[in-house]
Amino acid sequence: MKAAEPKRQRLTQAGRRTRERIIETAAELMFHRGVAGTSIPDIQAAAEVSASQIYHYFGDKQGLVLAVIDHQTDAKLAQQRPLLDSLDSIEALREWCDRAADRQDAAGCEGGCEIGSLASELADSDESARTGLAGAFDRWEEPIRSGLARMQARGELKESADTAALATALLAAIQGGMLLSQVRRSTTAYRQAVSTVIDHIESHLVR
Amino acid sequence: MKAAEPKRQRLTQAGRRTRERIIETAAELMFHRGVAGTSIPDIQAAAEVSASQIYHYFGDKQGLVLAVIDHQTDAKLAQQRPLLDSLDSIEALREWCDRAADRQDAAGCEGGCEIGSLASELADSDESARTGLAGAFDRWEEPIRSGLARMQARGELKESADTAALATALLAAIQGGMLLSQVRRSTTAYRQAVSTVIDHIESHLVR
């Protein structure tokens, strides 16, 4: 479920565009400076809107943060489609993770994960953000879980494999691997972390 | 290697105590509020020292952050000893990770990882902190890697097992698992993430 589902339908087209511009600007600033390091005046100036427009659309900074979480999650999942929706083979899992590693390499391993960074900063200080981020991770984990479940339903993965646990383990490897790669400025850790989990999934294949 | 190795030897005992009090206070504040959310005046007030004392011992906030990274790493590794130095069996790996999960449960899954949080906040904004944190993760990974290497040297782990890669994968599972557990307020993700990697290590045992 998305964290912020406001009265979007009732906005005019111009209103929707303004709202989107505020969210995109805030997301960009928060990604680079952190949420604490991004003030409403910063967002106003960068998005060229008034404070009252921000408060009109989002109520307060916390409301804007929820919209940023949804925006970053939508963008993250969109970036990974259509592969994300066909994670029902070992080859697809490997290709999906390789592409993510290649993107990190292309970025010089800077930036880290947009969602993971928000999670690390906000999980203990903003309860509504925490539940929004839990929803974001659920939305990310779901296509992994359902891909593995399809492999199991087709008899390719052993009945004894806990597909939900394996999906969580892969998401954790992605998150931990990205953090180590960001700190080490090399995708080796990311590649080793996700490969280990995918190798383990492969060991559950019915031969 | 530690990030901050200043002229510690030349300090008097009273000086060392003051320096330690500043570091402990800064570490505590930065853990709860983030580095950006912790000012030198905040640290002054909480540690009951003057700004000039802080600048005397650490040069600037960046120098203090390096000392905090070392302090948190020392504390993290000390907390995990002596188990951390005997990770040369599947049972020891499981017990070590179970204890960490139990500590997270006891804390209501709040707080996250002291080192991971610093890494997420600082990796892109402070190059000296990034290299300090890379060193911190290396110090944490080393006893995992050397435990696995001892298993392999004794012929318990297959020659084909890449012990360095498996150690990195386990550290990534710990980091990613802790983040997911913090956001979900449940250690299930952590337990599943580390179990998956340890199960995979177990699959490399010589039977």
Side-chain angles (χ1 to χ4, degrees):
Chain A
M1 202 193 68
K2 293 198 180 189
E5 281 293 5
K7 44 189 177 179
R8 200 178 304 186
Q9 272 66 20
R10 277 176 278 148
L11 298 180
T12 63
Q13 204 176 346
R16 272 198 301 276
R17 274 200 300 266
T18 304
R19 187 178 180 280
E20 283 306 307
R21 190 169 78 247
I22 296 169
I23 294 172
E24 283 168 17
T25 306
E28 181 77 11
L29 291 175
M30 289 172 180
F31 180 56
H32 290 290
R33 307 178 186 177
V35 174
T38 305
S39 69
I40 295 289
D42 292 339
I43 299 163
Q44 266 178 256
E48 299 183 334
V49 294
S50 66
S52 67
Q53 280 175 297
I54 297 179
Y55 291 112
H56 169 71
Y57 290 115
F58 305 100
D60 55 13
K61 186 175 174 185
Q62 207 172 28
L64 177 54
V65 166
L66 290 181
V68 166
I69 292 169
D70 282 347
H71 170 82
Q72 294 290 40
T73 310
D74 290 344
K76 193 92 191 159
L77 301 187
Q79 183 189 48
Q80 299 176 40
R81 296 209 144 89
L83 265 178
L84 186 67
D85 295 318
S86 55
L87 298 177
D88 56 359
S89 71
I90 297 298
E91 296 67 34
L93 288 165
R94 291 202 194 279
E95 188 187 345
W96 173 62
C97 289
D98 279 347
R99 292 229 194 140
D102 293 343
R103 283 194 299 269
Q104 289 168 60
D105 270 330
C109 291
E110 286 193 37
C113 174
E114 295 83 353
I115 301 172
S117 305
L118 289 167
S120 181
E121 182 175 359
L122 301 173
D124 290 333
S125 61
D126 179 340
E127 179 60 16
S128 69
R130 184 190 69 72
T131 54
L133 287 158
F137 282 128
D138 289 347
R139 288 177 61 200
W140 196 351
E141 187 175 289
E142 199 284 322
I144 313 174
R145 195 170 49 231
S146 82
L148 296 178
R150 288 199 300 282
M151 290 172 73
Q152 196 170 45
R154 291 196 304 255
E156 296 161 18
L157 214 52
K158 289 179 191 160
E159 277 302 317
S160 59
D162 183 341
T163 52
L166 291 170
T168 301
L170 185 52
L171 184 59
I174 290 170
Q175 283 297 311
M178 284 189 82
L179 183 67
L180 290 179
S181 291
Q182 185 187 7
V183 168
R184 291 176 172 171
R185 291 286 187 256
S186 151
T187 52
T188 302
Y190 177 86
R191 293 179 192 272
Q192 290 174 333
V194 298
S195 288
T196 298
V197 175
I198 299 175
D199 287 349
H200 193 63
I201 294 170
E202 191 168 16
S203 75
H204 289 287
L205 284 183
V206 174
R207 303 286 177 179
Chain B
M1 204 195 66
K2 294 196 179 190
E5 282 293 2
K7 42 186 179 181
R8 203 179 302 186
Q9 273 66 19
R10 279 176 277 146
L11 298 180
T12 63
Q13 202 175 348
R16 272 199 302 276
R17 273 200 302 264
T18 304
R19 186 178 180 280
E20 283 306 307
R21 189 168 80 247
I22 295 170
I23 294 172
E24 283 168 18
T25 306
E28 180 77 12
L29 291 176
M30 289 171 179
F31 180 56
H32 290 291
R33 307 178 186 176
V35 174
T38 304
S39 68
I40 295 289
D42 291 340
I43 299 162
Q44 266 178 256
E48 298 182 335
V49 294
S50 65
S52 66
Q53 281 176 296
I54 297 180
Y55 292 111
H56 170 71
Y57 291 115
F58 306 101
D60 55 12
K61 187 175 172 185
Q62 207 171 28
L64 177 54
V65 166
L66 290 181
V68 165
I69 291 169
D70 281 346
H71 170 82
Q72 293 290 39
T73 309
D74 289 344
K76 193 89 191 162
L77 302 186
Q79 181 189 50
Q80 299 176 40
R81 297 212 144 88
L83 265 176
L84 186 65
D85 296 317
S86 56
L87 296 178
D88 56 358
S89 71
I90 297 299
E91 296 66 34
L93 288 165
R94 291 202 194 280
E95 188 188 345
W96 173 61
C97 289
D98 279 347
R99 292 227 194 143
D102 293 344
R103 282 194 299 270
Q104 290 169 59
D105 271 328
C109 291
E110 286 192 36
C113 174
E114 294 82 354
I115 302 171
S117 305
L118 288 168
S120 180
E121 182 175 358
L122 301 173
D124 290 333
S125 61
D126 179 341
E127 179 61 16
S128 68
R130 183 190 71 72
T131 54
L133 287 157
F137 281 127
D138 289 346
R139 288 177 60 200
W140 196 350
E141 188 175 288
E142 198 283 323
I144 313 174
R145 195 170 47 230
S146 83
L148 296 177
R150 289 198 301 282
M151 290 172 72
Q152 197 170 46
R154 291 196 304 254
E156 296 161 17
L157 214 52
K158 289 178 190 160
E159 278 302 317
S160 59
D162 183 342
T163 52
L166 291 170
T168 301
L170 186 51
L171 184 59
I174 289 169
Q175 283 298 311
M178 282 189 83
L179 183 67
L180 290 179
S181 291
Q182 185 187 6
V183 168
R184 291 176 172 170
R185 291 285 187 257
S186 151
T187 52
T188 302
Y190 176 85
R191 292 179 192 274
Q192 290 173 335
V194 298
S195 288
T196 297
V197 175
I198 299 175
D199 287 350
H200 193 63
I201 295 170
E202 191 168 15
S203 75
H204 289 287
L205 285 183
V206 175
R207 304 284 178 179

